[in-house]
Amino acid sequence: MPQALKLSYDSPAAAWHEGLPLGNGRVGAMLVGNRIELNEDGFWSGDGNKGVPDGVEGIAAEAAELVRRGEFFAADQLLTRLQGPSTQAYQPAGAFTAVHSDDAGPEHRELDLRDGVATTVRGRVRQEVFASVAYGVIAIRWSAAEPFDLALDFAWPHEGGATSADYDELSVTGHAPSTIHKGGGIDYASVEGVRRLGLNAQLRCDGELTPATAGHRFTGCREVEVYLALHSDFDGAAALERAQGDARRAAATGWQALLDDHLAAHRDVMDRVALELGSAPAAEGSTAERLRRRASGESDEGLAVLAFQFGRYLLAASSRPGTQAANLQGIWNDQVTPPWNCDYTTNINVEMNYWPAETCGLPEFHEPLFDLVDGLAVTGAETARRMYDAGGWCCHHNTDYWRLTTPVDGRACWQAWPMGGLWLSMHIAEHWRFGRDEEFLADRLPAVLGAARFAYDRLSEGSDGTLVTNPASSPENEFVTPQGNSAIDESTGMDAALVRELFAFVVEAADVVAETLHGEDLQLVKRIQEALPRLAGPKIGADGRLLEWADEREESEPHHRHVSHLYGVFPGDSFADSPELLDAARKSLEARGDAGTGWSLAWKTALWARLGDGDRAHKLLGEFLTPVGFRGAGAEYADGGVYTSLLCAHPPFQIDGNFGTTAAIAEMLVQSHRTVDGVPVLQLLPALPSAWPDGEVRGLRARGGVTVERLVWRGGEVRELALVSRVDTAVRVLGQEVALAAGVPWTHGIRSGAE
């Protein structure tokens, strides 16, 4: 990574979402001015009470009958009776405020993505912060050539809580709210079954250290170090004990050894993939200035590289093996009642969080999503049985730490979509296809089969004789009827694509791990094979666009932010070999328009990349990199883009667009979703924009277990290529079929002796 990958600013963060994020997958810190805002991934409101509401049996079947009679609005209204409680909320874990004797001095702050270290210089005092994975702590150091004083105070954001300040140690215990009610009501009345937090900070300095009411005072120091650990648990004492153990172990190790360990581990992750675009010198100025200049028309392709690597950085910071999955804001949140409860939204957002995991060299960081799927497979079984009279499991459009699977309260266009399990299961398919790990496939296949069993049991014969998922919806969109807008039809483009692609994966997986399947699982695979040719397929309307619903319907919002009916283009692949469907998808995308929320822009960028239009993808990338407030209030989706921190703006902050943009850039350079006779096709520079005539990428991964070790292009043409596979395989690349032996590099166009 030869380019300096740093977010850089010459003024304090004006708001929380303009801060610098750090994380080790479980613990997050947002650096905002002189505050260090904290989170721990298991600290959520609620007590786990998530049962299926009473009286839901038969409602979906009754709605299906209404749809058959053409009573779409009535079906929409009926399905609102399935609604249960909303998700619970991801919680803040408090904040440290550090005020030192040079606080009034000029400020420069930066986040080094390769090192995973945030540095703030204010006056003479330098602050360095990083999140250690190995030691489980946030490590902080203030230093200066001359002595300084520092006041360190902790603020707990919840009712109750106990703070204890000893000589060189600060401990905090407290609990989350028992309930966050719809509309923002906060209930601390009960502590039964709620999550508790334990926080411990070990303090070291070379001057005087004195405990204060909620913190400590450091006097005459040249160095101050804080080793901060947090744990959540149902047992507060156990959480604090674990936090103390982590913090004390880190303090005993010492700053330099801890930093050296962190740098080696973090660089190993970030160095897996490198991207260079052109040979222009790095742009000058702060990140905020560069964003404004780019939005005004100045070229700065270094920002595309920065956005690409920032997404990789954020995934490594918010999702590690053994942690919770990254939520709507990753692992960062400063509010007790955050937007959308900072939950997991399964109709695009949590899936988008993990789009770059496979292509961009972060496969092990995909694991928390698979653990989420396993949890939902347990809680979603009763939901499937009672709401849909179906086997297997299902999940609707929101879930949380407690693995809620029932529809939340709201309109049918949001909540009447039980297909989240299918989409989530396709991430297991992608991990298998990229890694070719048969042990993984066998281990995770039961959850996939459960989602497929639910989908199979939901199928019924539609008006044209095909098998459909009546009642069906297309996430968050509606069509016009004489009685009012409806979200419910007998089938939708997205449902059809999800069912077809999941069933195809089940057949693929069953062939690979056949010896692990028995009894009912074998029967399910056979039934799926028989159903596949009867499934409803994509339809094209009179105007040449893909239909979002079962028939031509008048759209209530033609420029809707979701593009769910294009799933088969990206992230799916079922349209890949049909020029007719791809052309219809292109027309649909044109009609939907370029404007959108931050995550919507990222999805459209990836779609244009899959459609092979690099310049259009680049234009959408530019829309994403437009800072909030630049477009003006009158524009459609005026503030969709990024904050000056490069964090995605829905608005407000949602992290999904950061991950989606990283994945989209990878799709512009390398694609591997097509196969010919079962052999993956490796497409090089399939959507290269004219703005990137020269460049190099190293480390992108492709399906079939292949890594693109090096891809160099000049004038838009491939000059050098190096591939390596983790398994014996074959790929089609550069017009030929190439046999790859596991671990043996294959090169094209590289001079003898060249790297």
Side-chain angles (χ1 to χ4, degrees), residues 473-499:
S473 66
S474 189
E476 307 197 21
N477 207 357
E478 296 175 320
F479 56 91
V480 177
T481 80
Q483 295 77 29
N485 291 348
S486 175
I488 307 303
D489 205 339
E490 72 169 17
S491 181
T492 64
M494 184 180 215
D495 273 19
L498 281 172
V499 173

Side-chain angles (χ1 to χ4, degrees), residues 299-328:
S299 176
D300 186 351
E301 299 309 321
L303 279 174
V305 175
L306 201 59
F308 173 79
Q309 294 289 13
F310 189 44
R312 296 184 65 245
Y313 166 87
L314 289 171
L315 188 57
S318 61
S319 181
R320 295 267 179 163
T323 72
Q324 297 296 315
N327 60 48
L328 276 174

Side-chain angles (χ1 to χ4, degrees), residues 560-686:
H560 196 271
R561 61 196 176 278
H562 285 256
V563 283
S564 306
H565 53 314
L566 305 187
Y567 175 90
V569 179
F570 184 92
D573 59 14
S574 51
F575 298 175
D577 294 320
S578 171
E580 183 184 20
L581 290 177
L582 293 176
D583 183 62
R586 181 186 298 271
K587 289 184 172 67
S588 296
L589 199 53
E590 289 276 11
R592 197 54 60 97
D594 288 346
T597 60
W599 63 260
S600 179
L601 293 169
W603 195 354
K604 291 173 183 177
T605 305
L607 285 164
W608 282 116
R610 276 283 173 92
L611 292 170
D613 193 332
D615 285 335
R616 191 63 174 269
H618 186 264
K619 178 181 183 294
L620 268 293
L621 177 60
E623 293 294 323
F624 177 78
L625 289 172
T626 300
V628 169
F630 182 85
R631 294 187 183 92
E636 188 176 24
Y637 295 110
D639 286 337
V642 295
Y643 298 103
T644 58
S645 59
L646 272 188
L647 290 172
C648 169
H650 181 282
F653 164 49
Q654 280 186 198
I655 203 167
D656 38 28
N658 291 108
F659 299 130
T661 293
T662 295
I665 292 171
E667 290 291 321
M668 295 165 76
L669 302 175
V670 174
Q671 294 178 18
S672 61
H673 58 288
R674 294 184 59 241
T675 61
V676 174
D677 298 328
V679 177
V681 177
L682 192 59
Q683 296 174 272
L684 306 177
L685 310 179

